[in-house]
């Protein structure tokens, strides 16, 4: 795509470094849920950073995997 000089201005690039840094240095966490704990479900989630815990107390299996923490938004990395 070719851009006309008149359409580009410096303000369009003023926040580019911080936007790139957000993509490169994304905050991460790990799932530290202990399913051996008494009464724990099979596949819960506990964020290593904010401590948010997601589990099903009725014994049903939570479907899917956690790619990010629902509370703090950090990306979940696998160990």
């Amino acid at each position: 795509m070719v851009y006309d000089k008149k359409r580009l201005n410096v303000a369009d690039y003023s926040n580019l470094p911080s936007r790139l840094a957000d993509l490169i240095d994304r905050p991460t966490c790990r799932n530290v849920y202990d399913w051996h704990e008494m009464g724990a479900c099979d596949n819960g989630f506990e964020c290593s950073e904010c401590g948010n815990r997601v589990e099903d107390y009725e014994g049903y299996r939570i479907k899917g995997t956690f790619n990010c923490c629902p509370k703090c938004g950090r990306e979940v990395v696998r160990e």
Side-chain angles (χ1 to χ4, degrees):
M1 177 183 280
V2 177
Y3 290 101
D4 184 19
K5 276 190 199 178
K6 296 175 194 171
R7 292 184 62 191
L8 295 176
N9 79 41
V10 176
D12 294 336
Y13 296 102
S14 63
N15 64 348
L16 183 64
S18 64
R19 290 181 69 197
L20 286 174
D22 288 343
L23 293 173
I24 295 168
D25 297 328
R26 296 183 69 177
T28 60
C29 67
R30 292 178 296 110
N31 184 358
V32 293
Y33 185 79
D34 183 11
W35 60 273
H36 293 293
E37 203 175 281
M38 184 64 132
C41 67
D42 288 343
N43 62 335
F45 173 81
E46 185 175 354
C47 178
S48 62
E49 298 299 316
C50 72
N52 184 41
R53 195 169 191 168
V54 179
E55 58 187 347
D56 183 8
Y57 293 106
E58 295 178 2
Y60 295 103
R61 195 162 166 77
I62 298 172
K63 293 183 179 181
T65 58
F66 289 91
N67 296 322
C68 65
C69 174
K71 184 175 180 184
C72 67
R74 293 176 183 263
E75 180 181 1
V76 177
V77 293
R78 308 295 185 255
E79 296 182 80

